[in-house]
Amino acid sequence: MTTPTTSTGAPAAAATAAVPGADPADRSAHRARGASGLLREFNDLGLLHAADVHVARRLGAVTGEDDERVLLAVALAVRAVRHGSVVLHLRQVPETVVPEDVEDSGAVGTVAVRWPDPEEWLAALRRSPLLVEHAPGETTGPAAPLHLVGDGLWLDRYWRQELAVAEDLRARSAAVAGYDPAAVDAVLDRLWPGGLADDQRTAAAVCLAHGVSVLGGGPGTGKTTTVARLLAAVHALSPGPPRVALAAPTGKAAARLTEAVVSAAGTDGFTDDERRFLRSTTASTLHRLLGIRPGSVRARYDAEHRLPHDVVIVDEASMVGLGVMARLLAALRPGARLVLVGDPQQLASVEVGAVLADLVAPAERAAPGAAPAVPHGVALLRRTHRFADRGGIAAIAAAVRRGAAEEVVDLLRAGGPDVEFLEVPDEELVAGAALEAVRAEVLRRSAAVVEAARAGDAAAALTALDAHRTLCAHRRGTRGVSHWSALAQRWAVEDLGVQPRTDGRYVGLPVIVTANDPGVGVFNGDTGVVLDRDGTLVAAIARGAGPLLVPLARLAAVEPVHAMTVHRSQGSQFDVVTVLAAPERSPLATREMFYTALTRAKVRVRVVGSPEAVAAAVSRPLARATGLAERLRG
């Protein structure tokens, strides 16, 4: 390999690092034409996408910057944003930057990378007209394409968004007044009588006492139950009908939140007025709440045109990125109350940032006497109700949260009625007994779906569909969704006698909607089963009030869902889950990925992978770099 050099011709690094990689020939589609020097070198290695290179070259041309080390840093900062990070820490790039194809498929191999010397790299950046350097804690300065603090490099847009979010959270935490404490106690005593679910009552009290609050907790801890009773408390404590908005990042999550709140209205403890209020409450997506139109940079509600609501509650907040959070905070009225609901241990948003985790982090890290914003408004539910009789899943989930890798492996190997561990070396395709176990489970569950679909029983087909799901960290490769979806389809043809049409569809095919279509009433992430209605194939989509039947021809974006990525599974639950663990050296083998997959199971979980892969995932927190938590500590 040619040794990378700087624009002056000097060696670019003093050490070589090995990282996972795949065949460079597979990267030809991502090569940037006309690139040279370090940009060409790192693009050819698969460490940079063509888009990263183009942005760096363009900024260099506009400002006259020609130092290859500076342009490489710019390209890597753009790459970091594509991978969800807000900031690029230059001293950490040898450990955090891996080839693009590995991120997607987990392919195993090695490529040698010669990185610039960190101190020389930083010195070159400090001389560049492309950026402004700030002292730690500094929030002002001249405009520039990039901002540098220590070894952290921000693109201007995300630097400003992070500053705005931190400043807005601080201001709201201090300014929004709580309700009268005596009135709050009386209402909560009625809604949670006899000390029932004390942690939920305490969490509701925290949310009512703060302008910005986080209602956190793992699956089955009662977050939605708490939200419903919190809404009733807001209704009871308000002098008139409260203006409340419920929202979620996706249409599916919003529909599920609406159904959960309406269902909770039928439980004990509410007055008639509170029941009517809960049943009239409808959640929307955050984009619809803010009036953000697809393809538009403008929104109906912003800092100049505020939302009219007194209280805004956002469910599945772990999926909310920095940009949407900045827009939401800007659009809230000064006296409005914000409640963020979610599991901070789950995977972060597919967009930039990890806002929910950042909001919880200062509470865990704050030194005695420190007063960071928001953590005083953080309430975490820790009592699990879903796994009350499933001790194995609950114990493993708790050990994963602690990062106790050896304990997790021991618990998996111990097994139990709700836990199964099929040990398969990373370098092997899932085969032998492991493959047969997965195949038998998939066929048994698929047979129930096909049988119900052929009988025209939509409700039974949907129940059977959610009885099992295969979850993958990767989209491609032998542990990826595409491979296992193809296997499941082949098994269905060979063993269940299904006869797909030329487009691959058949009665009993499980499908997933991949784009919002409010006109039809379906949303990205909705799952369903194909049925025949008088010779027309329709998709039966799960809804709380009963299956929604939509002709397949009306659905613009739908695909089979024999298996799904862990990211797509967030917010869903299945009776049995088969988790295909990411290989040990995969960058997607992270604690959050494994925890999210594991906790999708309500009854039983099967983990397929090596002990080394499991231990690596549990020991490796998600490498998503942000500066928000530190800003909140202030």
Side-chain angles (χ1 to χ4, degrees):
M1 186 190 80
T2 302
T3 301
T5 59
T6 69
S7 59
T8 62
T16 299
V19 297
D23 185 356
D26 295 336
R27 306 184 186 117
S28 58
H30 300 303
R31 284 180 176 162
R33 294 181 180 179
S36 60
L38 287 178
L39 292 178
R40 172 65 180 272
E41 195 81 39
F42 280 71
N43 183 215
D44 286 347
L45 289 172
L47 296 169
L48 293 174
H49 192 281
D52 311 328
V53 176
H54 293 324
V55 173
R57 292 178 66 196
R58 179 60 179 163
L59 285 175
V62 169
T63 62
E65 176 61 75
D66 61 359
D67 190 316
E68 294 179 16
R69 296 166 298 182
V70 174
L71 297 182
L72 174 62
V74 174
L76 288 170
V78 176
R79 178 198 184 279
V81 167
R82 285 197 299 104
H83 287 253
S85 289
V86 180
V87 57
L88 173 74
H89 289 287
L90 292 176
R91 291 190 178 94
Q92 297 176 11
V93 289
E95 290 77 39
T96 58
V97 176
V98 299
E100 299 282 339
D101 45 17
V102 177
E103 187 77 30
D104 188 33
S105 67
V108 176
T110 59
V111 294
V113 182
R114 190 173 291 272
W115 295 96
D117 175 80
E119 299 311 316
E120 293 180 4
W121 205 358
L122 286 167
L125 281 167
R126 293 187 180 106
R127 295 190 296 267
S128 175
L130 275 172
L131 61 84
V132 170
E133 185 175 15
H134 302 268
E138 186 179 28
T139 60
T140 59
L146 295 102
H147 300 263
L148 182 71
V149 179
D151 74 334
L153 189 64
W154 280 260
L155 298 178
D156 181 69
R157 175 182 178 182
Y158 302 101
W159 166 266
R160 297 190 183 282
Q161 284 182 349
E162 202 169 70
L163 282 178
V165 168
E167 291 171 1
D168 206 330
L169 288 171
R170 284 187 175 279
R172 292 183 181 280
S173 296
V176 180
Y179 296 97
D180 176 68
V184 168
D185 284 343
V187 169
L188 296 186
D189 284 345
R190 173 172 60 81
L191 291 171
W192 278 278
L196 179 66
D198 284 341
D199 59 340
Q200 295 178 17
R201 183 194 187 285
T202 300
V206 169
C207 295
L208 292 169
H210 293 84
V212 179
S213 57
V214 173
L215 172 56
T221 53
K223 295 189 295 295
T224 305
T225 298
T226 306
V227 166
R229 296 188 178 270
L230 174 62
L231 283 170
V234 168
H235 183 276
L237 293 167
S238 300
R243 295 172 295 183
V244 174
L246 294 182
T250 68
K252 181 181 179 181
R256 189 168 53 246
L257 177 60
T258 300
E259 293 168 1
V261 170
V262 171
S263 175
T267 59
D268 295 336
F270 301 110
T271 66
D272 290 342
D273 282 347
E274 290 166 356
R275 293 185 198 280
R276 283 190 291 270
F277 174 65
L278 293 178
R279 288 169 177 155
S280 67
T281 303
T282 303
S284 71
T285 65
L286 277 168
H287 280 68
R288 183 180 295 182
L289 175 68
L290 295 171
I292 301 174
R293 294 179 176 85
S296 174
V297 296
R298 298 188 62 84
R300 178 182 179 186
Y301 296 103
D302 54 24
E304 296 180 357
H305 304 87
R306 306 280 187 153
L307 288 165
H309 305 96
D310 304 309
V311 179
V312 175
I313 299 177
V314 180
D315 196 18
E316 297 292 351
S318 65
M319 300 167 64
V320 180
L322 178 66
V324 174
M325 184 61 70
R327 286 190 167 201
L328 174 62
L329 288 167
L332 290 177
R333 294 189 306 105
R337 196 177 306 277
L338 175 64
V339 181
L340 301 174
V341 184
D343 185 350
Q345 300 291 335
Q346 281 193 33
L347 286 166
S349 164
V350 295
E351 299 177 352
V352 178
V355 177
L356 187 68
D358 285 340
L359 296 185
V360 174
E364 300 171 345
R365 302 175 188 169
V374 183
H376 295 303
V378 171
L380 299 179
L381 302 177
R382 303 189 184 279
R383 184 182 306 167
T384 302
H385 305 283
R386 178 183 302 169
F387 307 129
D389 58 346
R390 302 288 181 236
I393 296 176
I396 295 171
V400 172
R401 288 195 298 269
R402 296 195 303 273
E406 291 185 7
E407 181 181 350
V408 170
V409 173
D410 289 342
L411 289 169
L412 284 172
R413 282 175 163 165
D418 58 335
V419 175
E420 181 182 5
F421 186 29
L422 303 178
E423 298 188 29
V424 179
D426 283 349
E427 62 272 13
E428 294 182 9
L429 173 68
V430 176
L435 178 63
E436 287 306 309
V438 176
R439 181 177 180 275
E441 184 81 70
V442 170
L443 281 173
R444 182 162 65 92
R445 306 294 183 172
S446 296
V449 175
V450 170
E451 181 181 359
R454 286 173 174 169
D457 191 338
L462 290 170
T463 298
L465 176 63
D466 283 346
H468 175 260
R469 191 61 46 87
T470 300
L471 299 182
C472 310
H474 294 281
R475 295 186 296 272
R476 299 186 293 112
T478 57
R479 302 290 178 93
V481 168
S482 59
H483 176 78
W484 285 90
S485 288
L487 278 179
Q489 183 95 339
R490 191 183 78 196
W491 294 336
V493 171
E494 293 175 350
D495 293 72
L496 302 182
V498 303
Q499 298 180 345
R501 305 187 315 183
T502 55
D503 60 4
R505 295 170 175 176
Y506 58 86
V507 174
L509 175 69
V511 294
I512 185 168
V513 177
T514 57
N516 292 336
D517 191 343
V520 178
V522 298
F523 303 97
N524 186 8
D526 277 341
T527 54
V529 178
V530 174
L531 280 73
D532 186 308
R533 284 290 186 269
D534 300 323
T536 299
L537 292 186
V538 302
I541 307 295
R543 288 289 181 269
L548 171 67
L549 301 182
V550 183
L552 275 179
R554 293 281 306 277
L555 296 175
V558 64
E559 60 187 40
V561 67
H562 296 292
M564 68 182 352
T565 62
V566 179
H567 264 290
R568 274 202 177 276
S569 75
Q570 288 194 93
S572 299
Q573 297 91 40
F574 312 98
D575 293 341
V576 179
V577 166
T578 295
V579 179
L580 299 176
E584 177 185 3
R585 297 173 63 185
S586 166
L588 295 185
T590 67
R591 183 181 305 166
E592 291 81 1
M593 183 74 75
F594 189 67
Y595 171 83
T596 302
L598 178 78
T599 55
R600 298 311 92 201
K602 293 191 292 185
V603 177
R604 183 164 58 90
V605 65
R606 173 190 294 108
V607 176
V608 183
S610 69
E612 294 79 13
V614 171
V618 176
S619 302
R620 185 186 297 147
L622 183 67
R624 179 167 286 197
T626 78
L628 182 59
E630 290 301 317
R631 294 187 197 281
L632 293 176
R633 290 181 65 186

